[in-house]
């Protein structure tokens, strides 16, 4: 069919048939994009909004659970162990050794790296090598920090490899203060 035959057929249509054709073409031009573009997008948006509401409810439930857990202390407060006031190194090592035993930490080595005399105290530098899992290392460091205020960890390195996994080797460099003999 060529253009002339199409024009002649359109001219031969009555006014009523022309209006019906225009309305039909207009409806197709509106309904097809709605069905192909808008409708799937609106369903997708409704699904995403429902997912968002569900996630908000889960977050509120988790926050409520966390709030109820922090309301009660998990562990009873333990007896505070102090570094020995004695002048000897063995008392200090025994106190740190007790903390290691509580946290299930294995000593590989512990060695003094030097000391310095300061007024009425001796500053003792210590290097400690431990074979430990990460959680036990955390417990050990936390206990030493809270119970032994004069034992200061200055450097901490933790390494692991396939032969040691899940344990690792921790290297701590610390400073402690002991009272001089008078």
């Amino acid at each position: 069919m060529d253009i002339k035959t199409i024009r002649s057929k359109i001219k031969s249509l009555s006014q009523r048939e022309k209006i019906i054709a225009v309305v039909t073409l207009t409806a197709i031009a509106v309904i097809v994009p709605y069905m192909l573009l808008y409708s799937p997008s609106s369903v997708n948006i409704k699904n995403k909004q429902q997912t968002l509401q569900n996630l908000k409810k889960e977050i509120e439930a988790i926050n409520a659970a966390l709030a109820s857990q922090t309301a009660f202390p998990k562990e009873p407060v333990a007896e505070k162990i102090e570094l020995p006031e004695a002048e000897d190194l063995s008392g200090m090592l025994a106190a740190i050794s007790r903390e290691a035993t509580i946290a299930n930490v294995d000593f590989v080595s512990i060695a003094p790296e030097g000391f310095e005399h300061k007024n009425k105290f001796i500053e003792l530098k210590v290097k400690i090598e431990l074979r430990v899992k990460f959680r036990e290392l955390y417990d050990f460091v936390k206990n030493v920090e809270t119970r032994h205020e004069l034992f200061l960890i200055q450097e901490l390195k933790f390494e692991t490899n396939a032969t040691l996994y899940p344990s690792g080797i921790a290297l701590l460099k610390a400073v402690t203060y002991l009272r001089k003999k008078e």
Side-chain angles (χ1 to χ4, degrees), residues 6 21 28 34 39 60 63 80 82 88-89 91 108 122 156 163 174-175 177:
I6 294 174
I28 290 172
Y34 173 81
S39 181
E60 288 173 6
N63 285 338
K80 198 164 192 166
E82 299 287 329
D88 63 335
L89 178 62
V108 174
I122 298 174
L156 172 67
T163 59
V175 174
Y177 297 91

Side-chain angles (χ1 to χ4, degrees), residues 84 86-89 92 120-122 124 176-180:
E87 296 84 358
D88 63 335
L89 178 62
M92 187 271 307
K120 296 182 179 182
F121 296 96
I122 298 174
L124 176 66
T176 189
Y177 297 91
L178 301 172
R179 212 179 325 150
K180 277 187 184 180

